[in-house]
Amino acid sequence: MKTLIRSALTLSAAVLISVAGAHATVRTEGGLSESKVGVSETYRLNVPTEKEISTTQIRLVIPAGVSVSRFQVTPGFTRTVTKNADGLVTEVVWKGRVAPMEYARFFLQARNPAQAGELVWKVYQTYSDGSVVAWDDADPAKGPAGRTTVK
Ligand SMILES: [Cu+2]
C-alpha cells in the first residue's frame, strides 16, 4: 500500500513538471534559441495542448524585421497569412485541432534581421471553448513569449 501511494505521488509530480515545462515555444528547427544576423533560418513553433479540451487555433505574430518566405505544409491545418504594405508577413493563423495530450509543430522559413537583437514571438492559443492563452509576455510567469537571440 505504501509503495502504491508513493508511486502515485511520483507520477503526479512528474505530470506537474511536464505540464509546467510545456509552453508554446518558437525555436530554430534545431531547437535553439539563437540564430545569426541576416541568414535564412527555419523556425519551429511548438504548441502543446495543456487543457482537457482541444486547441483549435494558433496565431503567431512575426517579429519586426523578420521576413517570412515559406511555410512547411502542416496536414490537418489551414493557414491564413496577413501581410503589411511592403508584402511582409506580419501574422499567421493556423486552424485545426490539437487534442489533449498532443502537440503540433509548425515550420516556417524566414530571413533574420540585418541587425543583432532579440526576436520576440507572440503566440495566441485558442481552445475549443473560446478561451485564449496568450504567450506574449503580458504575464511572463504564466505566458512567456518565444525568444530568439540574433547575433
Ligand atoms: Cu506550459
Side-chain angles (χ1 to χ4, degrees), residues 4-98:
L4 199 66
I5 291 170
R6 194 180 306 126
S7 57
L9 284 174
T10 308
L11 184 65
S12 61
V15 167
L16 282 176
I17 288 164
S18 67
V19 166
H23 296 318
T25 55
V26 177
R27 301 256 160 80
T28 67
E29 188 175 28
L32 301 178
S33 297
E34 62 175 59
S35 187
K36 289 181 180 144
V37 164
V39 303
S40 178
E41 179 67 271
T42 302
Y43 287 101
R44 177 189 80 194
L45 165 61
N46 188 75
V47 182
T49 285
E50 300 183 300
K51 299 186 182 187
E52 296 305 312
I53 53 174
S54 294
T55 297
T56 54
Q57 177 179 296
I58 299 112
R59 181 163 71 94
L60 172 68
V61 180
I62 306 300
V66 173
S67 175
V68 176
S69 55
R70 225 171 233 100
F71 297 93
Q72 181 172 308
V73 173
T74 311
F77 284 84
T78 60
R79 183 185 60 248
T80 307
V81 165
T82 304
K83 292 181 179 177
N84 65 15
D86 299 323
L88 290 171
V89 175
T90 55
E91 233 180 76
V92 190
V93 174
W94 286 273
K95 287 185 180 176
R97 189 176 185 80
V98 190

Side-chain angles (χ1 to χ4, degrees), residues 125-137:
Q125 179 176 9
T126 304
Y127 282 89
S128 59
D129 63 354
S131 60
V132 179
V133 178
W135 305 98
D136 64 355
D137 279 356

